[in-house]
Amino acid sequence: ELQPGEEKALLHTLYVPPATPGGSEIRISARSDDGLDQIVPLRITPAANGKATVDGSETRFIHPGEKASYLFKITNTGNVPLHCAIQSTTSPATTRAMAASQTLIVPIGETVDTAIEVETGDDLTDFTEIVTAAQIDIAELSGDFARQFLYFHTEAFPSPALPDKTLLFETL
């Protein structure tokens, strides 16, 4: 009970489900002991967050003209949809890497699967170690959090050369 002119602060904990969209507003109602209802609007602060992970990081082995496919996931752990741009590069540049999707929209609380394909040319003559980098830019984030990198390793082997027919038979 309070005396006239006296104030008392109460602390209440509210649970807001993670899937509640940022920027939205919920109404909270409270009833005092004397029966008065008070409704207070509560704005949910937008909070963007996401994480990219690889499904297996083992090295892939390919021959000329073959492709290696690497799967990865982008998970939205924030409360706003994420807009992602994916770029891929390889070293050495004689091979090609192509993202299955150049842009993705990841809904709140969901995970989107995508892939990078690495391909060698048919003219490969030497053993080649290939490093592919997938750069994921998330438009809703800023600074270092806005850019994530995933790295994939591929080893390319030349096809075996055809045997030299003159060396296969001995002169009789």
Side-chain angles (χ1 to χ4, degrees):
E1 294 203 13
L2 298 176
Q3 302 298 323
E6 188 178 354
E7 290 183 13
K8 183 177 180 181
L10 296 174
L11 177 63
H12 295 279
T13 302
L14 300 173
Y15 173 74
V16 178
T20 305
S24 63
E25 191 174 275
I26 58 174
R27 297 182 159 287
I28 300 170
S29 63
R31 177 174 284 162
S32 62
D33 290 340
D34 62 2
L36 287 173
D37 284 336
Q38 184 172 4
I39 297 174
V40 178
L42 178 67
R43 185 168 168 13
I44 307 299
T45 303
N49 201 5
K51 183 175 184 172
T53 56
V54 178
D55 282 353
S57 59
E58 68 276 354
T59 300
R60 304 286 164 82
F61 303 95
I62 59 176
H63 290 286
E66 294 180 344
K67 295 179 184 180
S69 183
Y70 298 93
L71 299 176
F72 62 98
K73 299 177 181 191
I74 302 173
T75 303
N76 185 344
T77 57
N79 64 3
V80 295
L82 297 179
H83 294 79
C84 305
I86 302 169
Q87 299 174 12
S88 57
T89 56
T90 61
S91 178
T94 56
T95 56
R96 292 185 315 147
M98 186 63 152
S101 299
Q102 300 290 322
T103 59
L104 290 174
I105 297 175
V106 185
I108 299 168
E110 292 190 22
T111 298
V112 173
D113 297 336
T114 190
I116 295 281
E117 277 192 346
V118 178
E119 182 179 11
T120 63
D122 290 329
D123 56 349
L124 181 70
T125 57
D126 296 321
F127 168 79
T128 307
E129 293 183 66
I130 304 163
V131 176
T132 304
Q135 176 180 321
I136 302 152
D137 293 315
I138 302 174
E140 287 74 18
L141 298 175
S142 62
D144 292 337
F145 301 108
R147 184 166 289 151
Q148 296 182 30
F149 290 92
L150 299 175
Y151 296 95
F152 309 101
H153 299 276
T154 310
E155 292 185 4
F157 294 90
S159 294
L162 295 173
D164 186 354
K165 292 182 181 179
T166 59
L167 299 176
L168 287 177
F169 303 99
E170 292 182 19
T171 309
L172 297 174

